[in-house]
């Protein structure tokens, strides 16, 4: 399950989209949540903004990009370079992404606390 209530996640994602002046830009979801119904609720709540997730590429080498550690690393790279980032304060992954964003000189106000 998601760590925060879906309506709170939707509100923070919309806040980030507003700050980025792009109400219908894609929202990248980096999560280890396996509950597809919660993800669909999040997708429905975002309505105008498409929700996207990392999917390992198809083909003979797909297993190389499917392990939990590899997926996490790829998701971190994407989130660190995003226009805006909504972080979960209880997450070590969020702390890493925030520090990476700082190293990349992303404006501090583009990282939003859940």
């Amino acid at each position: 399950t998601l760590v925060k209530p879906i309506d709170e996640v939707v509100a923070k994602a919309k806040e980030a989209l507003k700050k980025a002046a792009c109400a219908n830009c894609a929202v990248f979801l980096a999560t280890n949540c396996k509950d597809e119904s919660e993800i669909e609720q999040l997708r429905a709540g975002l309505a105008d903004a498409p929700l996207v997730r990392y999917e390992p590429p198809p083909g003979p080498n797909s297993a190389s990009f499917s392990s939990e550690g590899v997926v996490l690393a790829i998701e971190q790279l994407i989130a660190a370079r995003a226009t805006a980032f909504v972080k979960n304060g209880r997450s070590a992954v969020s702390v890493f992404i925030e520090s990476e964003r700082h190293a990349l000189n992303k404006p501090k106000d583009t990282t939003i606390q859940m």
Side-chain angles (χ1 to χ4, degrees):
T1 62
L2 294 173
V3 175
K4 298 283 185 173
I6 291 170
D7 58 337
E8 189 177 334
V9 176
V10 168
K12 290 296 183 174
K14 286 182 176 180
E15 179 184 335
L17 290 167
K18 185 175 180 179
K19 279 188 174 188
C22 191
N24 60 356
C25 285
V27 173
F28 177 74
L29 178 65
T31 184
N32 58 358
C33 176
K34 304 288 188 237
D35 186 340
E36 288 299 324
S37 67
E38 284 195 347
I39 292 168
E40 286 307 313
Q41 289 175 39
L42 179 57
R43 183 173 276 121
L46 290 170
D48 295 332
L51 182 70
V52 296
R53 298 176 68 192
Y54 168 74
E55 296 289 334
N61 296 323
S62 66
S64 300
F65 298 98
S66 300
S67 73
E68 191 171 334
V70 172
V71 169
L72 176 60
I74 292 169
E75 288 179 340
Q76 288 174 340
L77 289 171
I78 294 168
R81 287 154 180 78
T83 302
F85 173 62
V86 178
K87 72 175 190 165
N88 178 346
R90 299 185 327 152
S91 166
V93 172
S94 287
V95 171
F96 173 82
I97 293 168
E98 184 176 23
S99 66
E100 183 70 14
R101 290 176 63 78
H102 177 73
L104 292 168
N105 295 315
K106 294 286 186 179
K108 192 170 182 77
D109 68 341
T110 63
T111 297
I112 300 165
Q113 174 70 43
M114 277 295 298

